[in-house]
Amino acid sequence: MNIKQAKAIPLEDVLQRLGHTPERRGQNQLWYLSPFRIETTPSFKVDPDANSFWDFGEGKGGDALDLIQRIEGLPKVADALARLERLFGNGPPPPCVAPAKKSPPAPAAPELIRTQPVHARSLRAYLKQRGIDPTIAVGTVKEVHYRAKGKDYFALGLLNDSGGYELRNPFWKGSLGSKDITTIPGDSRRVSVFEGLFDYLTAVQIAGDTLGDTVIVLNSVSLAERAIARIGELGAERIDVYRDHDAAGERLLESFVKALPNAAIVDKSDTYRGYRDLNEGYLAARKSGKACAAI
């Protein structure tokens, strides 16, 4: 099997052979629980048309070769080719050469229609499902209405530092406009870093008020370097990191420790040990009637 043949194997077939099936299917999207870690909410997306994947938890993607190397810890492309050949034989035959066709125009980028306070019943129910009192979210998130592929949608939206919105609803997460971190001003000597919106809202809910610190919501662990640069500008003395309990979360913590040697880096994930993230730990504590983690 050669590289071209390997990259032509549908990713859905590769994942199926390795024991992974989609949690849900959308338009040109397959959503899986990430094969790279334990999770309860799908964050691993496959685009069948492009035959590529994107792991939102780590902010990385790729093709069939990247996937098999990552899942099975294969250091060389030759090892990945051999593994795929064992799974699929010599792979699919090379496609017939068809007359060149004019590429269709790229779909228009999602368009912002309006923002407003969160009124939609489904979004308020989604907040409650994640353990968040909707009144806690006031001032932090908006109800964002946008148009994509000729259809209108709405979602919870967190404004980021580039003027874009990080969007979340029960069925989808993504971005509108430029993707970036979100900085919420506070005491610049202390910075609390959260991987995502719901971890931050959970911390506010537990505290019963604003945290007082400057807050940085990463919106993706791939934006850690931007957060580190912002913390350097602030000259913070202490950084509390509310990371996920997975490999990406460990690398995130290591990057802060390495890049900010003069600051006290505190791994706050100890307060929700045994759970994937702060929001999951908080929900488990509420269901069991135990005291919430201290912030």
Side-chain angles (χ1 to χ4, degrees), residues 57 176 183 207:
L176 180 65
T183 305

Side-chain angles (χ1 to χ4, degrees), residues 23-287:
E23 292 292 304
R24 65 174 185 269
R25 297 173 182 267
Q27 186 176 10
N28 300 323
Q29 293 181 348
L30 303 175
W31 286 92
Y32 294 78
L33 297 175
S34 177
F36 305 146
R37 59 186 171 273
I38 297 173
E39 62 181 14
T40 57
T41 302
S43 66
F44 184 92
K45 182 180 76 172
V46 169
D47 181 336
D49 291 342
N51 203 30
S52 64
F53 73 87
W54 182 259
D55 181 37
F56 283 89
E58 296 191 4
K60 295 180 181 179
D63 54 31
L65 282 172
D66 299 314
L67 178 67
I68 202 75
Q69 283 188 270
R70 176 73 176 81
I71 288 179
E72 305 212 344
L74 302 174
K76 298 179 181 178
V77 172
D79 297 330
L81 289 171
R83 176 62 173 137
L84 286 171
E85 187 165 338
R86 288 196 296 273
L87 287 171
F88 293 94
N90 286 323
C96 297
V97 178
K101 292 182 180 180
K102 190 180 248 184
S103 298
E111 174 190 359
L112 176 66
I113 299 174
R114 69 178 185 277
T115 66
Q116 63 186 46
V118 180
H119 294 311
R121 189 174 301 173
S122 61
L123 295 181
R124 294 175 72 86
Y126 181 42
L127 286 166
K128 291 178 181 178
Q129 177 190 339
R130 299 296 295 264
I132 307 300
D133 183 338
T135 60
I136 291 288
V138 172
T140 299
V141 296
K142 297 287 188 182
E143 181 179 312
V144 177
H145 290 250
Y146 61 100
R147 182 170 294 116
K149 297 182 180 180
K151 295 183 178 180
D152 292 352
Y153 303 91
F154 60 88
L156 298 171
L158 175 67
L159 184 66
N160 66 35
D161 290 2
S162 291
Y165 281 93
E166 306 299 327
L167 302 178
R168 300 289 184 272
N169 66 30
F171 311 105
W172 184 77
K173 64 179 179 179
S175 301
L176 180 65
S178 299
K179 191 167 187 67
D180 204 348
I181 63 173
T182 296
T183 305
I184 300 171
D187 184 347
S188 61
R189 294 169 298 177
R190 292 176 55 119
V191 176
S192 290
V193 178
F194 298 88
E195 288 198 24
L197 168 64
F198 280 104
D199 289 331
Y200 167 59
L201 292 177
T202 300
V204 174
Q205 174 117 340
I206 294 171
D209 199 352
T210 58
L211 301 183
D213 305 352
T214 291
V215 168
I216 293 178
V217 182
L218 293 176
N219 297 316
S220 170
V221 291
S222 64
L223 299 177
E225 289 187 7
R226 295 191 193 182
I228 288 169
R230 182 60 47 80
I231 291 169
E233 294 169 1
L234 294 170
E237 300 168 0
R238 170 172 167 152
I239 298 95
D240 290 346
V241 183
Y242 294 83
R243 67 178 182 89
D244 285 3
H245 281 133
D246 57 18
E250 290 176 5
R251 289 194 295 271
L252 176 67
L253 182 66
E254 290 170 2
S255 69
F256 277 91
V257 171
K258 183 177 180 180
L260 300 164
N262 297 323
I265 311 296
V266 180
D267 181 6
K268 298 292 284 186
S269 69
D270 285 342
T271 61
Y272 43 94
R273 184 174 299 278
Y275 298 97
R276 182 175 63 89
D277 57 27
L278 177 60
N279 181 247
E280 185 179 280
Y282 174 65
L283 283 174
R286 286 189 61 182
K287 289 176 182 177

